[in-house]
Amino acid sequence: MECFGQKSASEFMNLGLSRYYAQDYEGAVENYTKAIQLEPNFANAYYFRAKAHEKLLQLKQALDDLTQAIKYKPDFGEAYFHRGNIYEKMTKKDLACQDWTKASSHGYYEANYVIKQKCGVKKKSFSEDD
């Protein structure tokens, strides 16, 4: 296994976060990728790489990374939430609502507001005949 100058996956993760917050999204993707190469089941690296891909408008790559993050950490509520956001951007509302619901069920309760706003059942309007 290549060690990239003896840095650990966590060190590359931290470098990726630094680049992400400096708005160097391509550099962030490179560092997250190195972290994943060193630790292929590093759910957080996939998650944050997805966020960088989203900033670069690479929605397919973001979706793939979020799916990997969920694969390695099935109770990752925040990853479900963000995957729902990507699905919404791809105009796949049903899949978005499914993921937001999973996010909520895994403790990411901020999803409840989105579910209510974007997935709620429309109220019936009653006519005089009802």
Side-chain angles (χ1 to χ4, degrees):
M1 178 184 303
E2 186 175 346
C3 289
F4 301 111
Q6 303 303 311
K7 283 187 174 59
S8 70
S10 293
E11 289 172 308
F12 279 113
M13 177 73 184
N14 289 334
L15 287 169
L17 288 169
S18 294
R19 287 195 167 178
Y20 180 88
Y21 291 116
Q23 298 180 351
D24 174 9
Y25 304 119
E26 290 165 347
V29 166
E30 289 175 24
N31 280 289
Y32 298 138
T33 298
K34 288 176 183 176
I36 291 165
Q37 288 171 338
L38 290 170
E39 193 176 316
N41 60 349
F42 197 165
N44 285 340
Y46 284 105
Y47 172 78
F48 282 104
R49 189 171 73 174
K51 290 182 69 163
H53 280 305
E54 182 180 6
K55 293 286 189 182
L56 294 167
L57 303 177
Q58 299 168 340
L59 299 183
K60 171 76 169 84
Q61 293 93 325
L63 187 69
D64 291 345
D65 277 348
L66 289 166
T67 299
Q68 286 297 107
I70 291 165
K71 173 184 173 184
Y72 292 117
K73 190 175 175 184
D75 63 344
F76 200 162
E78 196 169 354
Y80 280 108
F81 181 78
H82 285 287
R83 192 171 72 173
N85 293 345
I86 299 294
Y87 278 133
E88 181 186 33
K89 288 179 180 183
M90 299 171 95
T91 65
K92 297 180 179 184
K93 183 179 176 184
D94 290 344
L95 292 172
C97 289
Q98 287 174 24
D99 271 359
W100 291 327
T101 301
K102 287 178 186 172
S104 176
S105 72
H106 288 294
Y108 195 76
Y109 299 117
E110 293 173 38
N112 292 338
Y113 177 78
V114 176
I115 293 165
K116 185 183 271 188
Q117 295 298 312
K118 299 183 180 187
C119 304
V121 178
K122 302 269 188 214
K123 292 182 180 178
K124 290 183 182 179
S125 59
F126 294 97
S127 67
E128 293 176 17
D129 297 325
D130 288 344

